[in-house]
Amino acid sequence: MKTLKVLSEDKGQTLILRFIGSIDEDAALNKVKVETGKKVVMDVGEVDSINSCGGREWVKWIKTIDSKINMNFINCGAVFLDYANMIDGFIPINGAIESFKVPYYCEACDHLTIRKFESRDVKTNGGEISSTIPCEKCNKDAEVDVIVPHFLKFLNKTKKSRVEDV
């Protein structure tokens, strides 16, 4: 496991936080400060694992952030979405998952292709994603490698008006 690293980039009215590594009991989330008055974009695309202690620490940290701050989560991978779907408060009520990544597995060449989706597009499409896509390695059919209704459960948790705002 990689120790969690959080890179912070101030873009005026927006604070971008990029999380890299593992969210576990050693993740020093309490050292990550979020300023009031800014929109926050949390890029969790490089979170490679989360354990139960890390999930608990994440929720505790999220609760310390002012509830008036809009938080958009981008590049959410399967590891992150598993926790977002399972734990209330993992994504706060003032937060929205803007984009997420879906794994597709190709049996023909044993390759995993990751496809990024925008939440608003999937919601517009009735909560549907492609069950197969061309494998990026051999171009044969790669099949979605998650249980889709469970994986997309977060779409129903996100307030409709909030998703449209992102």
Side-chain angles (χ1 to χ4, degrees):
M1 283 194 220
K2 267 190 332 195
T3 302
L4 183 68
K5 184 171 23 170
V6 182
L7 304 178
S8 178
E9 184 179 355
D10 191 330
K11 295 265 195 176
Q13 292 301 314
T14 303
L15 174 66
I16 300 170
L17 297 174
R18 186 170 150 218
F19 296 81
I20 304 165
S22 300
I23 299 175
D24 58 21
E25 59 278 359
D26 297 325
L29 292 167
N30 59 340
K31 293 181 180 177
V32 180
K33 303 300 178 202
V34 176
E35 296 176 43
T36 304
K38 290 189 180 273
K39 175 183 166 187
V40 178
V41 175
M42 297 196 191
D43 184 344
V44 294
E46 294 175 81
V47 170
D48 54 26
S49 67
I50 303 173
N51 68 18
S52 58
C53 294
R56 181 187 66 234
E57 293 305 310
W58 176 271
V59 172
K60 281 174 34 180
W61 173 69
I62 285 289
K63 287 180 179 179
T64 68
I65 300 171
D66 186 338
S67 63
K68 293 181 186 104
I69 295 174
N70 287 330
M71 287 184 261
N72 291 331
F73 295 81
I74 62 171
N75 300 318
C76 301
V79 167
F80 190 84
L81 287 178
D82 282 346
Y83 275 83
N85 286 326
M86 186 173 34
I87 299 174
D88 283 336
F90 200 80
I91 301 295
I93 58 170
N94 54 317
I97 295 175
E98 190 175 310
S99 63
F100 59 96
K101 299 186 285 186
V102 179
Y104 287 83
Y105 177 71
C106 178
E107 251 183 57
C109 70
D110 194 35
H111 182 73
L112 196 65
T113 298
I114 305 295
R115 171 79 47 95
K116 182 178 168 184
F117 291 89
E118 300 296 321
S119 294
R120 84 172 123 237
D121 295 342
V122 174
K123 279 192 104 135
T124 301
N125 194 31
E128 297 289 323
I129 60 172
S130 305
S131 59
T132 62
I133 62 169
C135 173
E136 64 189 6
K137 188 174 179 186
C138 73
N139 213 32
K140 293 191 176 167
D141 281 347
E143 295 182 4
V144 67
D145 199 26
V146 293
I147 299 169
V148 175
H150 177 72
F151 189 75
L152 297 179
K153 190 171 141 184
F154 72 89
L155 289 172
N156 297 325
K157 287 183 174 183
T158 305
K159 292 182 182 177
K160 185 176 181 186
S161 59
R162 188 70 189 96
V163 170
E164 291 169 353
D165 290 343
V166 294

